[in-house]
Amino acid sequence: MAVEKSLVIIKPDAVERNLVGKILEVYENEGLKISKMKMEKVEKKIAEKHYEEHKNKVFYEELIKYITRSPLVVLVLEGKDAINKVRALNGNTNPENAQFGTIRKRFALSKTENSVHSSDCVESANREIVLWFPSL
């Protein structure tokens, strides 16, 4: 299996609760490598571009408000089958349905404040990485 890249966002709720190190440790312990990482308070226009597929959904405005409220950490993880591996480590979007031991089961506060985001496929990863790291 080829080495893949996945974009990961450690969302504001996790940063506010000082969980960045614990979350990074989960990924690194599974053999994923951090190739890029930064902390920033995201601009609304980047958040809207990132979540544009949800624009007409009822939770869109709440999502944009949440993701822009305070700093987040955005990173690129690399490894074999990175996209599927990261998504499995993250767990279900709704922490009530997430598998025991996953990041969201351990740390998420709600379906919206679910601590992490990751790319869902190679195409999304490529689009998201360029959006968050334009120099790549």
Side-chain angles (χ1 to χ4, degrees), residues 5 9 13 33 35 47 50 56 62 73 75 83 87 91 95 98 103-104 106 108 114 123-124 128:
K5 293 181 181 181
I9 299 172
D13 71 280
K33 180 184 174 193
S35 61
H50 180 81
N56 295 318
E62 178 185 5
V73 174
L75 58 141
I83 293 168
R87 292 185 67 76
I103 291 169
R104 289 181 174 141
R106 292 173 62 195
N114 63 12
E123 295 76 23
S124 292
E128 293 172 353

Side-chain angles (χ1 to χ4, degrees), residues 70-101:
S70 62
L72 50 73
V73 174
V74 61
L75 58 141
V76 177
L77 290 175
E78 293 182 8
K80 290 184 179 172
D81 198 28
I83 293 168
N84 289 326
K85 189 179 280 188
V86 170
R87 292 185 67 76
L89 292 169
N90 287 351
N92 190 292
T93 303
N94 184 343
E96 292 179 14
N97 299 329
Q99 204 170 13
F100 181 79

Side-chain angles (χ1 to χ4, degrees), residues 32-89:
L32 294 161
K33 180 184 174 193
I34 300 167
S35 61
K36 287 281 188 187
M37 184 167 68
K38 64 183 176 178
M39 177 184 262
E40 68 180 45
K41 188 170 186 301
V42 67
E43 296 176 21
K44 187 176 180 182
K45 68 179 183 174
I46 299 294
E48 289 172 341
K49 182 77 173 160
H50 180 81
Y51 286 116
E52 68 186 349
E53 68 194 62
H54 301 301
K55 190 166 183 118
N56 295 318
K57 297 181 180 168
V58 295
F59 58 83
Y60 178 76
E61 288 302 325
E62 178 185 5
L63 184 59
I64 298 303
K65 187 175 178 181
Y66 158 63
I67 204 76
T68 59
R69 80 177 182 203
S70 62
L72 50 73
V73 174
V74 61
L75 58 141
V76 177
L77 290 175
E78 293 182 8
K80 290 184 179 172
D81 198 28
I83 293 168
N84 289 326
K85 189 179 280 188
V86 170
R87 292 185 67 76
L89 292 169

